[in-house]
Amino acid sequence: MTELLSRLTEYAEGNMIPFHMPGHKRDPGLFLAGGEDLQGLSALYGIDITEIEGFDNLHDPEGILKEAEERAAKAYGSAYTHFLVNGSTAGILSAVSAAASCADLAEKRALLVARNCHKSVYHAAFLNRLHLRYLYPSFDEEYGIGGKIRPSDVREAIRSAREEGLFIAGIVITSPTYEGIVSDIGAIATEAHEFGIPLIADEAHGAHFGFYFEKGVSGGGDAAFVIPENAVRLGADLVIHSVHKTLPAPTQTALIHINGDIVSDDLVRKYLRIYQTSSPSYPLMAGIDAAVSLMAKKGPDLLSRMIGMRQDLQSGISDLRCIKRCPYTEPGKILISVKGAVKDGVPYTGKDLSDELRKSHRIELEMACGTYALGILTVADSPENVKSLAEALRRIDAGLSFASRESASSDASSDASFEDADKMRPEAVIPFYEAYGMDYEEIPLSEAAGRIAAELTGIYPPGSPYLVPGEVWSEGIAARVESDIRNGLHTEGVRDGLVRVLSSPGGQKRFI
Amino acid sequence: MTELLSRLTEYAEGNMIPFHMPGHKRDPGLFLAGGEDLQGLSALYGIDITEIEGFDNLHDPEGILKEAEERAAKAYGSAYTHFLVNGSTAGILSAVSAAASCADLAEKRALLVARNCHKSVYHAAFLNRLHLRYLYPSFDEEYGIGGKIRPSDVREAIRSAREEGLFIAGIVITSPTYEGIVSDIGAIATEAHEFGIPLIADEAHGAHFGFYFEKGVSGGGDAAFVIPENAVRLGADLVIHSVHKTLPAPTQTALIHINGDIVSDDLVRKYLRIYQTSSPSYPLMAGIDAAVSLMAKKGPDLLSRMIGMRQDLQSGISDLRCIKRCPYTEPGKILISVKGAVKDGVPYTGKDLSDELRKSHRIELEMACGTYALGILTVADSPENVKSLAEALRRIDAGLSFASRESASSDASSDASFEDADKMRPEAVIPFYEAYGMDYEEIPLSEAAGRIAAELTGIYPPGSPYLVPGEVWSEGIAARVESDIRNGLHTEGVRDGLVRVLSSPGGQKRFI
């Protein structure tokens, strides 16, 4: 058992009488006596303590939590690492806030962000009243997903922002993306550092990166067979890892790593104290420690086994006619495209695939949209489950036929076309941080085109908004959102067909 | 089993194959195969899922989480209630941010706060760049604790702040305090509402309030025998409850209630989305639901039983000579004073009591300081444990003798005298929100007097700072902090005897 967990277990077995928090007193008996049954929660209660004698304070660690954080720092090659119990969200908010406070408040401060970043990046910009400038990923037409952020675009964006008179407090790159696309963090860090700007790598989906299974092994051009290096070792200043996403740690746990000398560990910690509960859960922290310790010890073996599962999956589905796996995603993401597929004469969508897997094969995927569905593979998967997935995909594929692009142009399978660069690059007419605090009114989505958004809008997961406050609803974006809703995707920012737009006069209809 | 938990358990038993987050895939087998043992975490992993089909999104709830929140709202008598997985901290940050954004940014905005509020209130003021004005609780000399906030002081403070030209965005009252002192929230709400100001009740320590065991029963003047009404029903606009503190819910879980028409539920939810992880833990949320449902169903019985335990405790210790229980605390707090007690000729402190209970009686209390120690009693306690506490206190008392006030005036037992109103009311010379972002230097605590603090400083728990950035270190406060450290209390803001003060010129020595 890993150290933190074994200390909790040891304490639980010590039969101390608790006249302290938490209020459950580590005893589910109360519920049992009441005819209730806590089942899975019972064991959690047993090891759920607070900062009692012999334990430590996450916000000012001096003992076992400090040691656990140092173990994590070592595993990732970081100067400083901190446990997060409020998810990567807390890491993003703290990283951006710390970077922003390195700039003088009198400056016109901005954050340069990958447009496909998580909503927490926008929230951080709002809290710190930062202007936003965007880096647009390339777009992959075939699979309908955003691609890498080009280092040359970063350099160009920095120059352009500086010409505008903006002070760039930081650059935020999401890599890997939710879909598994990895940017060249090393090259981007070089560009950023040339201008003395800190690079914040939102590597939330890449907590398994850098635990090489075999250094330098080539995947034959297929990204699915090589574990990338982590952003810490590639030179990013602040790196955030969601350990619950791709490592075996409990939901809402994460890590932040601090390196370089642009943003100090001290400043980041100040914000971690602000954005995280003063009563962090020991079971969650023990879960982080357990997952990271496991990877530190067995990472290469486990990842080698995981790559083996990917190879098995590939062997099982490589000859399918209508179902196609995207070869650009890192090993943790299985992006299954059904673009152009038809079933019983009707276009077959990623959502249809996901539903069929659930209903007929007891397989639950991570996310689905118009042309593809996405699965997450981790070191905790089993070859048997991967075999089940391959078998299910084979059986589903057998029931599909392939339509030409023309005949597959009906709404459901064509939403990737909305990704057309211009249509999906909204115009910002009011700074985001101002617009997000302005008066708004609710109108039908069908009347949104031409109005200025008052809310972050986009599908969740992943939670990267298409449109943010201060930007104009274009017909293209409105059509995309309408299509998402028709396809049954959970869309944040739309309720009962209504969206929020800025009230007049700021929000009056500008064109159309 | 309560609804949310039973849905998780049901899902876990359904044997769906998970190609989604979390990365542990609900299976601790990986650790077991690696020679590790997850013990208490195994069961947690089994019910730890994410927003998959059939479940719900905490930030935009439409299904089972919406229903669970509605059950909680009903239990507390609130118009709107939301689950918090980032502790009361997230509730305070969101409540203050929402209240602040009701005011025009052009105004000179301020927050009127009880001086003994939690550090998260200061953090919220910092993030929102709010001026701070204080409400000082009365001070109880006998037990060395802060008392109630007087409604008349609230009225006076509002008037005075308005005369200064401040726009008061909100009033924050901590009730009950960490020590269990309850203010008259109803009367304070009336004062606040007369001026159209929202009252934010930090009732973090009072999640058990309002689940009456017997309406109107008098405790004969002893607060320990009557469960107070909750702040929601007493008219506070925004109320925060830490369900993990006094109810049987997991650590870092809490609730926020929204009422009245000054601050909208919608605005609070905007900030909850900002300050809380986008991947909330279902086991934590199920724990909230389980605890609240239990109280809704069996609250009166459980609290009646709890009051019975308090009566047993009182019977067991009422005749002690040196150990005295404070009669002003609500039933959930057992404040045990050893003021004036001596053991083997040496003054006996609260810390000594706490240590002796731990080492000789296997009883762990919540907190201890110079003259008292504090225990928390909840509905999850057992009469046997309470009997053990009473018995231990009897045995300890037998070894103590009582010194006169004069002879007990040595350092360890006299720190309450530092609570002398004037000495503990620091002078603010720079607005807190500005000072907290200014350059600082580290100096020995012994040289702090006269310098301007750059950090929040005070013992944790409870985490209510004596001194905040922008305030001048007085000799009284420096002496109090030195005494705390000598007494072995965990003091935030002091590391290795060093404290942070503002650098010159802003921080230059102003006097002495």
Side-chain angles (χ1 to χ4, degrees), chain B residues 404-439:
Chain B
S404 67
R405 280 192 78 95
E406 283 81 342
S407 66
S409 67
S410 80
D411 175 70
S413 63
S414 67
D415 61 5
S417 67
F418 290 118
E419 296 280 8
D420 172 271
D422 288 335
K423 281 194 187 161
M424 292 304 284
R425 287 192 189 186
E427 180 199 6
V429 291
I430 297 178
F432 163 70
Y433 70 81
E434 281 182 13
Y436 200 25
M438 290 170 78
D439 287 338

CSV table of all heavy atoms in Angstrom, one decimal, chain B residues 404-439:
chain,number,residue,atom,x,y,z
B,404,SER,N,-4.8,30.4,41.6
B,404,SER,CA,-5.5,31.7,41.6
B,404,SER,C,-5.1,32.3,40.2
B,404,SER,O,-4.2,32.0,39.6
B,404,SER,CB,-5.0,32.6,42.7
B,404,SER,OG,-3.7,32.9,42.5
B,405,ARG,N,-5.9,33.3,39.8
B,405,ARG,CA,-5.6,34.0,38.6
B,405,ARG,C,-4.2,34.5,38.6
B,405,ARG,O,-3.5,34.5,37.5
B,405,ARG,CB,-6.6,35.1,38.4
B,405,ARG,CG,-8.0,34.7,37.9
B,405,ARG,CD,-8.8,35.9,37.4
B,405,ARG,NE,-8.3,36.3,36.1
B,405,ARG,CZ,-8.9,35.9,34.9
B,405,ARG,NH1,-9.9,35.1,35.0
B,405,ARG,NH2,-8.5,36.3,33.8
B,406,GLU,N,-3.8,35.1,39.7
B,406,GLU,CA,-2.4,35.7,39.7
B,406,GLU,C,-1.4,34.7,39.4
B,406,GLU,O,-0.5,34.9,38.6
B,406,GLU,CB,-2.2,36.3,41.1
B,406,GLU,CG,-2.9,37.7,41.3
B,406,GLU,CD,-4.3,37.5,41.7
B,406,GLU,OE1,-4.9,36.4,41.5
B,406,GLU,OE2,-4.9,38.5,42.2
B,407,SER,N,-1.4,33.5,40.1
B,407,SER,CA,-0.4,32.6,40.0
B,407,SER,C,-0.4,31.9,38.6
B,407,SER,O,0.6,31.3,38.2
B,407,SER,CB,-0.4,31.5,41.1
B,407,SER,OG,-1.6,30.8,41.0
B,408,ALA,N,-1.5,32.0,37.9
B,408,ALA,CA,-1.6,31.3,36.6
B,408,ALA,C,-1.3,32.3,35.5
B,408,ALA,O,-1.7,32.1,34.4
B,408,ALA,CB,-3.1,30.8,36.5
B,409,SER,N,-0.6,33.4,35.9
B,409,SER,CA,-0.4,34.4,34.8
B,409,SER,C,0.8,34.1,34.0
B,409,SER,O,1.2,35.0,33.2
B,409,SER,CB,-0.3,35.7,35.5
B,409,SER,OG,0.9,35.7,36.3
B,410,SER,N,1.4,33.0,34.1
B,410,SER,CA,2.6,32.7,33.2
B,410,SER,C,2.1,32.6,31.8
B,410,SER,O,0.9,32.4,31.5
B,410,SER,CB,3.3,31.5,33.6
B,410,SER,OG,2.6,30.4,33.2
B,411,ASP,N,3.0,32.6,30.9
B,411,ASP,CA,2.7,32.7,29.5
B,411,ASP,C,1.6,31.7,29.0
B,411,ASP,O,0.7,32.1,28.3
B,411,ASP,CB,4.0,32.4,28.7
B,411,ASP,CG,3.7,32.4,27.2
B,411,ASP,OD1,3.4,33.4,26.6
B,411,ASP,OD2,3.8,31.3,26.6
B,412,ALA,N,1.9,30.4,29.3
B,412,ALA,CA,1.0,29.4,28.6
B,412,ALA,C,-0.4,29.5,28.8
B,412,ALA,O,-1.2,29.3,28.0
B,412,ALA,CB,1.5,28.0,29.0
B,413,SER,N,-0.8,29.9,30.0
B,413,SER,CA,-2.2,29.9,30.3
B,413,SER,C,-2.9,31.2,30.2
B,413,SER,O,-4.0,31.4,30.5
B,413,SER,CB,-2.5,29.3,31.7
B,413,SER,OG,-1.9,30.2,32.7
B,414,SER,N,-2.1,32.2,29.8
B,414,SER,CA,-2.7,33.6,29.8
B,414,SER,C,-2.9,34.2,28.5
B,414,SER,O,-3.2,35.3,28.4
B,414,SER,CB,-1.7,34.4,30.6
B,414,SER,OG,-0.5,34.6,29.9
B,415,ASP,N,-2.8,33.4,27.4
B,415,ASP,CA,-2.9,34.0,26.1
B,415,ASP,C,-4.2,34.7,25.8
B,415,ASP,O,-4.3,35.5,25.0
B,415,ASP,CB,-2.5,33.1,25.0
B,415,ASP,CG,-3.3,31.9,24.9
B,415,ASP,OD1,-4.3,31.8,25.6
B,415,ASP,OD2,-3.0,31.1,24.0
B,416,ALA,N,-5.2,34.3,26.6
B,416,ALA,CA,-6.5,34.9,26.4
B,416,ALA,C,-6.4,36.4,26.6
B,416,ALA,O,-7.2,37.2,26.0
B,416,ALA,CB,-7.6,34.3,27.3
B,417,SER,N,-5.5,36.8,27.4
B,417,SER,CA,-5.4,38.2,27.7
B,417,SER,C,-5.0,39.0,26.5
B,417,SER,O,-5.3,40.2,26.4
B,417,SER,CB,-4.4,38.5,28.9
B,417,SER,OG,-3.1,38.2,28.4
B,418,PHE,N,-4.4,38.3,25.5
B,418,PHE,CA,-4.0,39.0,24.3
B,418,PHE,C,-5.2,39.4,23.5
B,418,PHE,O,-5.2,40.1,22.6
B,418,PHE,CB,-3.1,38.1,23.4
B,418,PHE,CG,-1.7,38.0,24.0
B,418,PHE,CD1,-1.3,36.7,24.4
B,418,PHE,CD2,-0.9,39.1,24.2
B,418,PHE,CE1,0.0,36.5,24.9
B,418,PHE,CE2,0.4,38.9,24.7
B,418,PHE,CZ,0.8,37.6,25.1
B,419,GLU,N,-6.4,38.7,23.9
B,419,GLU,CA,-7.6,39.0,23.1
B,419,GLU,C,-8.1,40.4,23.5
B,419,GLU,O,-9.1,40.8,23.0
B,419,GLU,CB,-8.7,37.9,23.5
B,419,GLU,CG,-8.3,36.6,23.0
B,419,GLU,CD,-8.5,36.3,21.5
B,419,GLU,OE1,-8.8,37.3,20.8
B,419,GLU,OE2,-8.4,35.2,21.1
B,420,ASP,N,-7.5,41.0,24.4
B,420,ASP,CA,-7.8,42.4,24.8
B,420,ASP,C,-8.2,43.1,23.5
B,420,ASP,O,-7.4,43.2,22.6
B,420,ASP,CB,-6.6,43.0,25.5
B,420,ASP,CG,-6.9,44.5,25.8
B,420,ASP,OD1,-6.6,45.3,24.9
B,420,ASP,OD2,-7.4,44.8,26.8
B,421,ALA,N,-9.4,43.6,23.6
B,421,ALA,CA,-10.0,44.2,22.3
B,421,ALA,C,-9.0,45.1,21.5
B,421,ALA,O,-8.8,44.9,20.3
B,421,ALA,CB,-11.2,45.0,22.7
B,422,ASP,N,-8.4,46.1,22.2
B,422,ASP,CA,-7.6,47.0,21.4
B,422,ASP,C,-6.3,46.3,20.8
B,422,ASP,O,-6.0,46.6,19.7
B,422,ASP,CB,-7.2,48.2,22.3
B,422,ASP,CG,-8.4,49.1,22.6
B,422,ASP,OD1,-9.3,49.0,21.8
B,422,ASP,OD2,-8.4,49.7,23.6
B,423,LYS,N,-5.7,45.5,21.6
B,423,LYS,CA,-4.5,44.9,21.1
B,423,LYS,C,-4.7,44.0,19.9
B,423,LYS,O,-3.8,43.8,19.1
B,423,LYS,CB,-3.8,44.0,22.2
B,423,LYS,CG,-3.1,44.8,23.3
B,423,LYS,CD,-2.2,43.9,24.1
B,423,LYS,CE,-1.5,44.7,25.2
B,423,LYS,NZ,-1.1,43.8,26.3
B,424,MET,N,-5.9,43.4,19.9
B,424,MET,CA,-6.2,42.4,18.8
B,424,MET,C,-7.0,43.1,17.6
B,424,MET,O,-7.5,42.4,16.8
B,424,MET,CB,-6.9,41.2,19.3
B,424,MET,CG,-6.0,40.3,20.2
B,424,MET,SD,-4.5,39.8,19.4
B,424,MET,CE,-5.1,38.5,18.3
B,425,ARG,N,-7.1,44.4,17.6
B,425,ARG,CA,-7.7,45.1,16.5
B,425,ARG,C,-6.7,45.8,15.7
B,425,ARG,O,-6.4,47.0,15.9
B,425,ARG,CB,-8.8,46.1,17.0
B,425,ARG,CG,-10.0,45.4,17.5
B,425,ARG,CD,-11.1,46.3,17.8
B,425,ARG,NE,-12.2,45.7,18.5
B,425,ARG,CZ,-13.4,46.2,18.7
B,425,ARG,NH1,-13.7,47.4,18.3
B,425,ARG,NH2,-14.3,45.5,19.4
B,426,PRO,N,-6.1,45.2,14.7
B,426,PRO,CA,-5.0,45.8,14.0
B,426,PRO,C,-5.5,47.0,13.1
B,426,PRO,O,-6.7,47.0,12.7
B,426,PRO,CB,-4.5,44.7,13.1
B,426,PRO,CG,-5.6,43.7,13.0
B,426,PRO,CD,-6.4,43.8,14.3
B,427,GLU,N,-4.6,47.9,12.9
B,427,GLU,CA,-4.9,49.0,12.1
B,427,GLU,C,-4.6,48.7,10.6
B,427,GLU,O,-3.5,48.2,10.3
B,427,GLU,CB,-4.0,50.2,12.5
B,427,GLU,CG,-4.2,51.5,11.8
B,427,GLU,CD,-3.0,52.5,11.9
B,427,GLU,OE1,-2.0,52.1,12.5
B,427,GLU,OE2,-3.2,53.6,11.4
B,428,ALA,N,-5.5,48.9,9.7
B,428,ALA,CA,-5.3,48.7,8.3
B,428,ALA,C,-4.8,50.0,7.7
B,428,ALA,O,-5.5,51.0,7.8
B,428,ALA,CB,-6.6,48.2,7.6
B,429,VAL,N,-3.7,50.0,7.0
B,429,VAL,CA,-3.1,51.2,6.4
B,429,VAL,C,-3.1,51.1,4.9
B,429,VAL,O,-3.0,52.2,4.2
B,429,VAL,CB,-1.7,51.5,6.9
B,429,VAL,CG1,-1.8,51.9,8.4
B,429,VAL,CG2,-0.8,50.3,6.7
B,430,ILE,N,-3.3,50.0,4.3
B,430,ILE,CA,-3.4,49.8,2.9
B,430,ILE,C,-4.6,48.8,2.7
B,430,ILE,O,-4.7,47.9,3.4
B,430,ILE,CB,-2.1,49.2,2.3
B,430,ILE,CG1,-0.9,50.1,2.5
B,430,ILE,CG2,-2.3,48.8,0.8
B,430,ILE,CD1,0.4,49.6,2.0
B,431,PRO,N,-5.4,49.1,1.7
B,431,PRO,CA,-6.6,48.2,1.5
B,431,PRO,C,-6.0,46.8,1.3
B,431,PRO,O,-5.1,46.5,0.5
B,431,PRO,CB,-7.2,48.7,0.2
B,431,PRO,CG,-6.9,50.1,0.1
B,431,PRO,CD,-5.5,50.3,0.7
B,432,PHE,N,-6.7,45.8,1.9
B,432,PHE,CA,-6.3,44.4,1.9
B,432,PHE,C,-6.0,43.9,0.5
B,432,PHE,O,-5.0,43.3,0.2
B,432,PHE,CB,-7.4,43.6,2.6
B,432,PHE,CG,-7.3,42.1,2.3
B,432,PHE,CD1,-6.2,41.4,2.8
B,432,PHE,CD2,-8.2,41.5,1.5
B,432,PHE,CE1,-6.1,40.0,2.5
B,432,PHE,CE2,-8.1,40.1,1.2
B,432,PHE,CZ,-7.1,39.4,1.7
B,433,TYR,N,-7.0,44.2,-0.4
B,433,TYR,CA,-6.9,43.6,-1.7
B,433,TYR,C,-5.7,44.1,-2.5
B,433,TYR,O,-5.1,43.4,-3.4
B,433,TYR,CB,-8.2,43.7,-2.5
B,433,TYR,CG,-8.5,45.1,-3.0
B,433,TYR,CD1,-7.9,45.7,-4.1
B,433,TYR,CD2,-9.4,45.9,-2.3
B,433,TYR,CE1,-8.2,47.0,-4.5
B,433,TYR,CE2,-9.7,47.2,-2.7
B,433,TYR,CZ,-9.1,47.7,-3.8
B,433,TYR,OH,-9.4,49.0,-4.2
B,434,GLU,N,-5.3,45.3,-2.2
B,434,GLU,CA,-4.0,45.9,-2.8
B,434,GLU,C,-2.8,45.3,-2.2
B,434,GLU,O,-1.9,44.8,-2.8
B,434,GLU,CB,-4.0,47.4,-2.7
B,434,GLU,CG,-4.9,48.1,-3.7
B,434,GLU,CD,-4.8,49.6,-3.6
B,434,GLU,OE1,-3.9,50.1,-3.0
B,434,GLU,OE2,-5.7,50.2,-4.2
B,435,ALA,N,-2.8,45.3,-0.8
B,435,ALA,CA,-1.6,44.9,-0.1
B,435,ALA,C,-1.3,43.4,-0.4
B,435,ALA,O,-0.1,43.0,-0.4
B,435,ALA,CB,-1.8,45.1,1.4
B,436,TYR,N,-2.3,42.6,-0.6
B,436,TYR,CA,-2.1,41.2,-0.8
B,436,TYR,C,-1.4,40.9,-2.2
B,436,TYR,O,-0.9,39.8,-2.4
B,436,TYR,CB,-3.4,40.4,-0.8
B,436,TYR,CG,-3.3,38.9,-0.5
B,436,TYR,CD1,-2.3,38.4,0.2
B,436,TYR,CD2,-4.3,38.1,-0.9
B,436,TYR,CE1,-2.2,37.0,0.5
B,436,TYR,CE2,-4.3,36.7,-0.6
B,436,TYR,CZ,-3.2,36.2,0.1
B,436,TYR,OH,-3.1,34.9,0.3
B,437,GLY,N,-1.3,41.9,-3.0
B,437,GLY,CA,-0.7,41.7,-4.3
B,437,GLY,C,0.7,42.5,-4.4
B,437,GLY,O,1.3,42.5,-5.4
B,438,MET,N,1.1,43.1,-3.3
B,438,MET,CA,2.3,43.9,-3.3
B,438,MET,C,3.6,43.1,-3.0
B,438,MET,O,3.5,42.0,-2.4
B,438,MET,CB,2.1,45.1,-2.3
B,438,MET,CG,1.1,46.1,-2.8
B,438,MET,SD,0.6,47.3,-1.5
B,438,MET,CE,2.1,48.4,-1.6
B,439,ASP,N,4.7,43.7,-3.3
B,439,ASP,CA,6.0,43.1,-3.0
B,439,ASP,C,6.2,42.9,-1.5
B,439,ASP,O,5.8,43.8,-0.7
B,439,ASP,CB,7.1,43.9,-3.6
B,439,ASP,CG,7.2,43.8,-5.1
B,439,ASP,OD1,6.7,42.8,-5.6
B,439,ASP,OD2,7.7,44.7,-5.8
